Amino acid sequence: MSSNAQSADGAKVVQLLDDIIAKANRSRASDIHITPRESRYQVRFRVDGTLREVVQPNRALHAALISRLKRGYAKLLKQRKSKKV
C-alpha cells in the first residue's frame, strides 16, 4: 500500500472516529460498543440503558479504528498520570 493510500485511510479513520464520538455526545450516550460482524462491524450507543445501533462501517476499517482508539486512550492515560505527579 502506498503512503498516499495509507494517509487517505488514516484520514477516513480519524473522520469516522470523530463522527462516532460527536454522535455519541449529541445522543448523551453512556457507552459506545463496537462489535465485529462478518462483512461490517456494528457501532451502538447505550442511551438511557438501551443499546441503539447507529452505524455499520466497512469491516476493512475496523483494525485501524481500534488501533486509533487504543493510541488515543494510552495518550489520555499518560496525560492524566503526568497531572497527578
Side-chain angles (χ1 to χ4, degrees), residues 48-65:
D48 297 328
T50 303
L51 281 175
R52 300 176 185 175
E53 185 174 327
V54 291
V55 68
Q56 285 191 6
N58 189 312
R59 179 76 189 241
L61 297 175
H62 184 257
L65 179 71

Side-chain angles (χ1 to χ4, degrees), residues 1-11:
M1 181 180 282
S2 72
S3 64
N4 287 342
Q6 287 177 336
S7 295
D9 283 348

Side-chain angles (χ1 to χ4, degrees), residues 73-85:
Y73 186 68
K75 184 177 178 182
L76 178 65
L77 287 178
K78 187 175 181 180
Q79 288 174 348
R80 285 184 178 178
K81 285 181 181 179
S82 68
K83 288 182 181 181
K84 288 184 179 181
V85 174

